[in-house]
Amino acid sequence: MEPVNSTEVSEFFLKGFSGYPALEHLLFPLCSAMYLVTLLGNTGIVAVSVLDARLHTPMYFFLGNLSILDICYTSTFVPLMLVHLLSAQKTISFLGCALQMCLSLSTGSTECLLLAIMAYDRYLAICQPLRYPVLMSQRLCWLLAGAAWVLCLFKSVTETVIAMRLPFCGHRVVSHFTCEILAVLKLACGDTSISEVLLLVGAILLLPVPLAFICLSYTLILATTLRVPSAAGRRKAFSTCSAHLAVVMLFYGTVIFMYMKPKSKEARVSDEVFTVLYAVVTPMLNPVIYSLRNREVKEAARKVWGGIQTSK
């Protein structure tokens, strides 16, 4: 597309899978079903954590935050993406693009920090069991979770404002199914170095640093667990960590695969499909993993469901 003289852009065209109508019709029911499961599963986790007093602990407080994050993250792009899959009008306003960019950056960044906080919580619970109620107080839980949400929101607002203030010289076709910041920056005809530096620093602080902290926490947990004399005690310690460890591996595994693999010069539709699936599948699987691997969650869900049935 040839640039026009005006540097102002009032809306963007999200290219997505516009060249593959058959694929769009295949992805629509698939993504719709996964989004519905994500909403129901994560809402169920939040409801159970709130309604069952036995789950009013730091571990389930952070799990509830993770579920809220997954709902918010998928809701920033999936509803509009579903509309675009069945529509020829695949536009988004300039303000809508900025809002989508900011919220997706914020929720994704917050999840990186929250997973590290959850690993720290498991470390204290297993390695410092006698001091755990004092060390991980309710006040500290709110402080850690609140700091993660606020800091990542501030970071994302800063990145979005700097990116969206760049001149676009009339370029408006985004080669993505959302207003992903790197895809939008490719349209800019000004100096993007500040945005690129901010994104690089943010990526280092939110990917390898939390991951290293998680690995350190689980190394200490493993060392402590192996010193437990009883097999039952070791099994209990491993069971409380297995669900979180599975979520960490799923989240960081997909992110590392997507952003560390060699970049091809031309965008491939297979990469776009994988991006859609991992963005929708990971939040969908989190409640499934915690439900299958956690007896307390299953028992609490049965209790809450039984109470609902009785009240009818």
Side-chain angles (χ1 to χ4, degrees):
M1 179 181 289
E2 290 296 323
V4 296
N5 291 332
S6 175
T7 60
E8 294 184 1
V9 172
S10 60
E11 63 180 15
F12 291 98
F13 179 86
L14 300 178
K15 186 178 178 181
F17 306 100
S18 56
Y20 303 88
L23 181 59
E24 288 184 323
H25 287 88
L26 176 64
L27 285 174
F28 180 79
L30 186 62
C31 292
S32 297
M34 290 191 292
Y35 181 54
L36 182 61
V37 173
T38 298
L39 293 180
L40 293 176
N42 284 289
T43 301
I45 291 287
V46 174
V48 167
S49 301
V50 171
L51 295 175
D52 195 310
R54 293 175 301 176
L55 301 187
H56 292 176
T57 62
M59 176 179 171
Y60 295 104
F61 171 77
F62 294 127
L63 177 57
N65 271 265
L66 181 65
S67 293
I68 293 172
L69 268 176
D70 286 336
I71 292 172
C72 294
Y73 173 67
T74 52
S75 297
T76 60
F77 70 91
V78 173
L80 184 62
M81 182 187 73
L82 292 176
V83 172
H84 286 175
L85 286 175
L86 296 183
S87 172
Q89 189 74 11
K90 304 179 190 296
T91 58
I92 184 172
S93 68
F94 185 89
L95 183 60
C97 183
L99 186 61
Q100 186 184 70
M101 180 189 296
C102 180
L103 292 178
S104 60
L105 280 171
S106 177
T107 49
S109 301
T110 305
E111 184 154 347
C112 293
L113 293 184
L114 189 61
L115 289 174
I117 292 169
M118 293 172 76
Y120 177 64
D121 171 67
R122 291 299 83 210
Y123 160 74
L124 291 180
I126 294 172
C127 301
Q128 305 283 341
L130 298 179
R131 301 175 60 204
Y132 176 65
V134 177
L135 294 174
M136 189 56 74
S137 63
Q138 186 180 33
R139 181 173 177 273
L140 182 60
C141 289
W142 281 96
L143 184 63
L144 290 173
W149 282 85
V150 171
L151 289 175
C152 290
L153 179 60
F154 176 77
K155 163 193 163 292
S156 301
V157 169
T158 303
E159 291 172 344
T160 301
V161 169
I162 292 175
M164 299 303 281
R165 285 177 64 87
L166 291 168
F168 292 100
C169 301
H171 295 113
R172 55 187 291 270
V173 179
V174 180
S175 297
H176 210 277
F177 55 89
T178 70
C179 280
E180 200 263 343
I181 189 167
L182 293 177
V184 173
L185 284 176
K186 289 180 181 178
L187 304 181
C189 53
D191 184 10
T192 62
S193 58
I194 296 177
S195 287
E196 290 169 358
V197 169
L198 280 176
L199 289 173
L200 178 60
V201 172
I204 292 172
L205 293 177
L206 292 172
L207 287 174
V209 172
L211 184 58
F213 184 81
I214 292 169
C215 292
L216 175 62
S217 297
Y218 275 102
T219 300
L220 297 173
I221 288 171
L222 179 62
T224 301
T225 304
L226 292 176
R227 291 199 297 267
V228 175
S230 67
R234 288 195 295 271
R235 280 197 301 271
K236 183 178 179 181
F238 280 125
S239 67
T240 60
C241 296
S242 58
H244 177 253
L245 197 55
V247 169
V248 168
M249 292 173 65
L250 179 66
F251 178 79
Y252 278 99
T254 52
V255 169
I256 289 171
F257 176 81
M258 283 305 301
Y259 292 102
M260 298 299 179
K261 65 184 178 67
K263 300 291 182 182
S264 57
K265 291 183 179 179
E266 296 182 0
R268 293 180 297 183
V269 68
S270 59
D271 291 343
E272 292 290 321
V273 172
F274 183 84
T275 304
V276 171
L277 294 179
Y278 104 78
V280 181
V281 168
T282 304
M284 179 189 71
L285 289 181
N286 286 352
V288 175
I289 291 170
Y290 274 102
S291 299
L292 292 177
R293 299 292 301 170
N294 195 303
R295 188 176 64 184
E296 290 178 323
V297 171
K298 287 188 283 189
E299 290 177 354
R302 281 194 291 266
K303 180 183 175 183
V304 171
W305 180 252
I308 294 174
Q309 295 294 102
T310 304
S311 63
K312 289 181 179 179

